[in-house]
Amino acid sequence: MPVSTAEKVLLHLQSYNLREEQPGEWRCNSPLRPNADSQSFYVKIDGPEHGTWFDHVSTESGSLYDLAQRLGIALPQQPQAAQPTKRGYTGLADYAQAHGVTEAVYVRWGWQETQRDGRPALGFPTATGRRWRFLDGQKPTFSSPAGYQPCWYGLAEAVTLAQTTNQPLVLCNGEPSVVASQHWGLPACCVTSSGEKLLKQQQLDELKAAWSGPILIALDCDQKGRTAAPKLAAQVGGLVIDLGGSQGFDLADFGFLHQGQSVQALAQLCLLYTSPSPRDGLLSRMPSSA
């Protein structure tokens, strides 16, 4: 689930010696008065988006949203909309543009225009054979040869990127998202033709052999993705990140939205999802958002 305003406020107040007096009631040094050290600032949380605050020294008070704004915390907005990718395309350039990158980005991964079963398609190589993404807007959307075995897509490149940039590995859904996301510096990979399924033992073994660092699960913002993400996280020992978008929003949309700031934006999600209580030691291994 997206990080609430209450969680963001409590995270911010951690640096002001925040302590919980009883469930839902917190006290800390005032973040609104420089050098305050009297533990006179009181915050009451009534829900993810509701609460109040009171400063016993200045006698100021207000709502949770009022405090968030004074702390420079953005208030909730409408979820970011997914790009309309479930449509027909005129070619690779049109398809790439819908994913926020240029045609050349997909060409570097071996994608090219072709025909498959009499339908216009984009063919691209994978470790276990060629796959196709149809362009006519009809179903099925993807095609694989008979007997095709799902395999890792972009894993080696993602591991190299994660190592050189000190980021977690990111498991997403779909080869197109891997290509677009890596363009924006996100160490994304996926298993081909797998949807939101758990990894097979061979795939899990390959992942463990290639990467021993932290892993983020960033599946699509829909019911299938939100149902599958916790199961996949439990299997690989990862952390689920909700990208905060509308129905169908995915990692490619996240990159399209943040572009050159994608790494920093994802790092901020890591920080929020591992605070104020670190999960399984992941906080110490997450990159900073600076």
Side-chain angles (χ1 to χ4, degrees):
M1 295 296 292
V3 179
S4 69
T5 302
E7 290 174 307
K8 293 177 182 179
V9 167
L10 293 177
L11 172 63
H12 185 97
L13 296 178
Q14 288 287 305
S15 60
Y16 295 91
N17 197 21
L18 182 71
R19 58 186 177 85
E20 189 174 19
E21 293 193 316
Q22 55 184 316
E25 297 184 16
W26 305 76
R27 188 179 294 275
C28 64
N29 298 325
S30 174
L32 307 179
R33 290 183 287 108
N35 303 316
D37 61 1
S38 60
Q39 286 280 295
S40 61
F41 197 84
Y42 171 82
V43 179
K44 186 175 186 294
I45 302 299
D46 298 312
E49 302 299 327
H50 300 281
T52 55
W53 64 275
F54 179 73
D55 189 331
H56 286 277
V57 172
S58 68
T59 70
E60 290 183 285
S61 63
S63 68
L64 177 68
Y65 278 7
D66 169 62
L67 178 59
Q69 288 180 309
R70 296 184 68 168
L71 297 178
I73 297 172
L75 298 181
Q77 300 177 347
Q78 291 296 321
Q80 295 293 336
Q83 293 297 315
T85 56
K86 305 299 184 182
R87 61 173 176 83
Y89 296 91
T90 59
L92 180 55
D94 186 21
Y95 185 78
Q97 184 178 27
H99 289 77
V101 298
T102 65
E103 178 179 6
V105 173
Y106 280 90
V107 169
R108 285 195 292 271
W109 284 73
W111 291 54
Q112 58 184 211
E113 295 179 19
T114 186
Q115 292 277 322
R116 170 71 170 172
D117 298 332
R119 300 169 58 188
L122 300 175
F124 57 94
T126 78
T128 55
R130 198 162 183 80
R131 275 178 40 83
W132 294 266
R133 203 293 185 185
F134 292 112
L135 294 173
D136 55 12
Q138 305 301 311
K139 293 185 177 181
T141 306
F142 283 86
S143 176
S144 304
Y148 178 84
Q149 295 297 314
C151 62
W152 281 105
Y153 187 78
L155 177 60
E157 295 86 351
V159 166
T160 299
L161 183 56
Q163 290 173 335
T164 56
T165 59
N166 192 32
Q167 293 185 73
L169 198 71
V170 185
L171 304 191
C172 67
N173 182 29
E175 300 95 307
S177 286
V178 169
V179 175
S181 299
Q182 287 203 24
H183 172 73
W184 296 117
L186 301 175
C189 58
C190 73
V191 172
T192 63
S193 187
S194 67
E196 291 85 2
K197 300 175 183 177
L198 289 176
L199 302 180
K200 295 181 178 179
Q201 188 60 51
Q202 179 180 344
Q203 296 159 0
L204 183 59
D205 291 343
E206 291 174 357
L207 175 63
K208 290 180 177 179
W211 179 253
S212 59
I215 299 174
L216 302 181
I217 312 301
L219 300 186
D220 297 359
C221 294
D222 54 24
Q223 188 59 45
K224 287 180 65 177
R226 292 189 172 104
T227 298
K231 299 176 182 177
L232 183 56
Q235 186 184 30
V236 303
L239 176 71
V240 176
I241 293 293
D242 191 312
L243 298 173
S246 62
Q247 181 74 11
F249 189 90
D250 60 16
L251 195 61
D253 292 313
F254 185 85
F256 198 172
L257 174 65
H258 297 286
Q259 300 193 11
Q261 297 299 311
S262 295
V263 172
Q264 293 87 340
L266 191 66
Q268 185 62 32
L269 280 181
C270 293
L271 180 62
L272 291 172
Y273 272 84
T274 53
S275 298
S277 298
R279 302 181 187 181
D280 301 327
L282 277 168
L283 179 59
S284 63
R285 295 182 284 160
M286 290 299 176
S288 70
S289 58

